[in-house]
């Protein structure tokens, strides 16, 4: 059975890659923008909806203390497995582009 949310959307993919290190919301938005060379700008509402969804599926976790002002998130072990799965899937697509005819020769 295929894990939920796969394949990841571009935005969720970038958020999870950003969360390989602990970050709070605004820092996630900045890093995603930087990683995408300014092509992906996430609005706060979109970001927090995506974070809630990723958290619900245990791909990321909240690591800050409940009383702290900023919520800090980080990718989980399951999230790293999901990223590895996506990496393999995307590498397959790249090989199809590079081979031009869809073969793996």
């Amino acid at each position: 059975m295929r894990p939920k949310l796969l394949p990841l959307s571009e935005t969720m993919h970038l958020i999870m890659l950003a969360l390989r290190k602990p970050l709070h919301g605004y820092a996630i938005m900045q890093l995603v923008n930087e990683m995408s060379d300014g092509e992906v700008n996430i609005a706060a509402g979109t970001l927090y909806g995506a974070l809630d969804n990723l958290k619900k599926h245990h791909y990321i976790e909240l690591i800050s203390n409940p009383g702290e002002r900023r919520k800090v998130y980080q990718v989980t072990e399951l999230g790293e497995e999901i990223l590895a799965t996506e990496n393999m899937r995307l590498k397959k697509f790249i090989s199809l582009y590079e081979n031009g005819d869809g073969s793996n020769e």
Side-chain angles (χ1 to χ4, degrees):
M1 187 171 132
R2 182 175 174 164
K4 299 282 184 188
L5 305 180
L6 289 186
L8 292 174
S9 70
E10 179 181 26
T11 300
M12 285 195 171
H13 208 134
L14 288 167
I15 290 169
M16 286 182 63
L17 287 170
L19 289 175
R20 286 183 148 172
K21 62 181 181 182
L23 294 172
H24 59 82
Y26 184 69
I28 297 167
M29 289 189 285
Q30 288 181 308
L31 185 53
V32 164
N33 183 273
E34 181 182 311
M35 287 188 311
S36 69
D37 295 325
E39 302 235 349
V40 178
N41 292 304
I42 305 173
T46 301
L47 174 67
Y48 288 103
L51 291 173
D52 286 343
N53 207 6
L54 291 167
K55 201 169 79 172
K56 179 174 93 176
H57 289 92
H58 307 287
Y59 296 174
I60 65 168
E61 62 188 344
L62 182 64
I63 62 169
S64 59
N65 295 325
E68 290 182 24
R69 185 169 173 253
R70 289 185 171 171
K71 292 181 179 180
V72 176
Y73 301 88
Q74 187 169 9
V75 74
T76 62
E77 188 174 320
L78 175 59
E80 287 289 355
E81 291 172 18
I82 294 298
L83 286 172
T85 299
E86 282 291 84
N87 187 13
M88 287 189 306
R89 182 182 71 83
L90 293 171
K91 282 181 178 177
K92 169 111 174 131
F93 273 100
I94 289 168
S95 76
L96 293 173
Y97 276 104
E98 289 171 347
N99 292 323
D101 63 355
S103 71
N104 282 330
E105 294 179 35

